[in-house]
Amino acid sequence: DAGNDIGVRRKTIRYFLDLYLDAIQVRVDRQNLSIHRQRCLIHTMKQLERFSKVHKEPDLDRLAVIYGREIDGYNHWRGKQKTQKTGKSISNRTLNNEMNDHKSFFNWCINQGYSTVQPRTKDNEVTKTNYPFPTEYYAKLCRTAQSDIESAVGAKNKWSKTNYFYVILLMNGIGCRVVEIKNMKWSDLTYDKNGNAFLYIHGKGKERSIQIPPRVAEHLERLRQFKRYWGASFSWNESDNDYIFSSYNSKTPPRHFDPDFRRDLMKRSGVKNYEGYQYVCFRHKFITDALKNGVHSLQVAKYTGTSQRMIEKTYEGLIPKDVFNLVFKDVPQEALAAKSTMPKFLGVHNDD
C-alpha cells in the first residue's frame, strides 16, 4: 500500500493538502459539495500549512500531536493572530470552524493510509448572538439605506443595495429567515379574491404559507417594479428570473448577502456594537416586537416557522388569517397599510 510507504509519509504537508483538495474538487464536480465550501476549505488549509511551516514541517503524525497541544498548539497559535480586514482577534467561532476543517483533513489522511494520528482539540466557547436589532435605530437605518440607493452609481450597484435593503424590510416585516429569503420566488407571492397577500415560505426543511401585511406585499411589488425597470437592459422578467432576490443579470440570488453593506449601513446609522448584528437580528426584532405586543409564543412560532413538530401539529388547524390577526393585532393600521406610490429613492420613473 503506497499510503504506508515511509517515503510518502515524509513528504511535506503541501503534498497531502494537494491530494486532499483534489478529492474535494471531485466532490464539487459531482455536486456533492458547493464551490463556496471548497473556497472555505482552501483558505483553512492555508492556515494549516502556515502552522506546519512554523514547526519546520514535521510528518503528519507529529504535526497532529503538536497541533493538539494546549500551549503552542494550533488553537493557541492562531488565537494570538489578528484578522487582516479588521485588525481584530480571530473569533472563537472562526477558530472552531478552522479546527473542524483540519480534523476532516487529518481524518481523510488516516483513511487514505497516510497517517495514524488525529489531533485532540476542544472547541472554544461561542456566545450566541440572538439580539434583536435595536428599534431606536431602525428608522435611521432605513433612511440611510434609501439615501445610498438613490445616490448609487450604476444599475448593478443600485440593484445590489436595493436587494439588501429589501431583505431587511422583509425580515423586519414578517420575521423570515435568510435562507427562506434566498428560496423565495415570485410565484410564492399570491393574492386571494379580496386582495389579501399570502407568501409561501420554505427553507431548513420547513414550509408554511402565511398572510402578510399590505405594507410587506407592497415592498415586494416595489422590488418587482424596480427590477423590471433597472433590469430592462437584460430583459428582466419574473418567468426567466423567478427568484425574488436574484442578483443583477443573474437567475439566482447571491450565495451570501454582503456583510460589508450591512456593517457599513449600521455604522453610519449610529448603531453601537454594529459588528455584532447580522441579518438575522431583524428576524429577532420581529419576534421580540410580537411578543412584547402580547402575542403568545406558540402563535409567533407558527407564523415564523420556529415551532417544534408537536407545536406544528397542535396548531395545524389554525388558518393563516387567524395567525395574521393574532400577530399583528396591536400594530396600528397605518403601519401596515400600503402607501400606493413608488418611493423617489428607487429611481423608477413612470411615463403615465
Side-chain angles (χ1 to χ4, degrees):
D1 188 348
N4 294 319
D5 184 82
I6 295 177
V8 172
R9 291 193 175 217
R10 286 180 176 174
K11 290 183 179 292
T12 65
I13 193 172
R14 184 70 256 169
Y15 171 83
F16 299 105
L17 289 176
D18 287 341
L19 291 176
Y20 177 65
L21 293 176
D22 285 345
I24 293 299
Q25 182 63 56
V26 171
R27 297 178 196 176
V28 173
D29 293 342
R30 292 175 178 171
Q31 298 184 339
N32 293 326
L33 197 70
S34 70
I35 294 176
H36 172 74
R37 180 65 184 136
Q38 180 187 35
R39 290 171 182 162
C40 291
L41 286 169
I42 291 172
H43 171 74
T44 54
M45 293 308 123
K46 285 181 180 178
Q47 302 306 323
L48 179 59
E49 185 177 20
R50 286 180 57 218
F51 178 76
S52 177
K53 288 181 178 180
V54 168
H55 293 278
K56 300 180 180 179
E57 299 191 287
D59 62 46
L60 289 177
D61 285 347
R62 181 61 181 163
L63 178 63
V65 173
I66 298 172
Y67 185 101
R69 287 175 177 170
E70 189 168 351
I71 303 298
D72 292 332
Y74 185 85
N75 197 22
H76 182 232
W77 170 79
R78 182 75 166 130
K80 293 187 293 184
Q81 298 173 21
K82 307 289 184 183
T83 61
Q84 292 182 351
K85 198 166 193 178
T86 65
K88 294 189 175 183
S89 298
I90 307 295
S91 69
N92 282 354
R93 189 181 303 277
T94 297
L95 278 169
N96 290 347
N97 289 339
E98 290 181 357
M99 290 191 294
N100 285 331
D101 286 349
H102 296 161
K103 286 179 182 177
S104 295
F105 163 74
F106 279 106
N107 188 56
W108 179 86
C109 289
I110 292 172
N111 290 336
Q112 298 299 312
Y114 299 137
S115 63
T116 59
V117 180
Q118 174 71 273
R120 295 183 180 181
T121 60
K122 292 182 179 179
D123 280 348
N124 300 289
E125 290 293 328
V126 176
T127 303
K128 292 189 68 176
T129 54
N130 290 336
Y131 301 108
F133 183 80
T135 302
E136 61 269 26
Y137 293 104
Y138 185 71
K140 186 174 182 181
L141 182 86
C142 290
R143 290 194 300 270
T144 304
Q146 291 168 5
S147 177
D148 269 3
I149 294 169
E150 189 170 11
S151 61
V153 178
K156 185 176 181 180
N157 189 27
K158 187 183 288 287
W159 185 291
S160 179
K161 289 179 181 291
T162 301
N163 249 1
Y164 296 143
F165 177 46
Y166 276 83
V167 165
I168 291 173
L169 291 177
L170 197 60
M171 294 186 73
N172 182 73
I174 58 173
C176 52
R177 301 178 177 89
V178 170
V179 66
E180 293 169 341
I181 282 182
K182 291 179 180 178
N183 289 338
M184 285 180 187
K185 297 183 177 182
W186 291 110
S187 58
D188 295 334
L189 175 63
T190 58
Y191 298 87
D192 66 14
K193 62 182 180 180
N194 297 318
N196 297 313
F198 295 83
L199 190 62
Y200 170 64
I201 299 177
H202 54 105
K204 295 193 71 173
K206 298 180 180 180
E207 58 182 333
R208 62 195 183 280
S209 183
I210 60 173
Q211 184 177 354
I212 60 177
R215 175 72 59 85
V216 174
E218 187 177 56
H219 289 330
L220 293 173
E221 293 300 346
R222 285 174 174 174
L223 184 61
R224 190 203 303 260
Q225 192 171 349
F226 168 88
K227 293 196 169 188
R228 188 177 291 130
Y229 182 89
W230 288 96
S233 63
F234 53 92
S235 302
W236 184 93
N237 62 83
E238 299 92 327
S239 298
D240 295 331
N241 306 87
D242 52 347
Y243 284 98
I244 292 178
F245 290 94
S246 60
S247 301
Y248 184 78
N249 201 9
S250 171
K251 297 183 183 300
T252 58
R255 190 174 296 277
H256 293 282
F257 290 123
D258 188 357
D260 291 334
F261 171 83
R262 166 178 48 81
R263 284 192 288 260
D264 181 65
L265 195 60
M266 292 183 181
K267 180 180 180 180
R268 289 188 292 113
S269 301
V271 179
K272 299 178 180 178
N273 302 318
Y274 61 90
E275 291 185 346
Y277 294 103
Q278 300 181 2
Y279 282 107
V280 72
C281 71
F282 297 103
R283 170 177 165 85
H284 293 314
K285 179 179 179 296
F286 173 85
I287 294 173
T288 301
D289 289 346
L291 293 173
K292 286 182 177 179
N293 285 335
V295 184
H296 194 283
S297 60
L298 298 185
Q299 294 155 355
V300 176
K302 177 71 177 180
Y303 194 84
T304 58
T306 62
S307 57
Q308 297 177 354
R309 188 186 299 264
M310 183 178 66
I311 298 174
E312 287 284 348
K313 184 177 181 179
T314 302
Y315 283 86
E316 64 183 0
L318 198 59
I319 61 174
K321 188 176 187 305
D322 291 333
V323 180
F324 174 84
N325 290 335
L326 286 167
V327 173
F328 295 101
K329 68 183 180 69
D330 292 324
V331 179
Q333 282 301 310
E334 58 268 23
L336 298 177
K339 292 186 176 180
S340 303
T341 57
M342 284 296 290
K344 179 182 176 183
F345 71 88
L346 289 178
V348 176
H349 308 292
N350 294 319
D351 295 332
D352 47 58

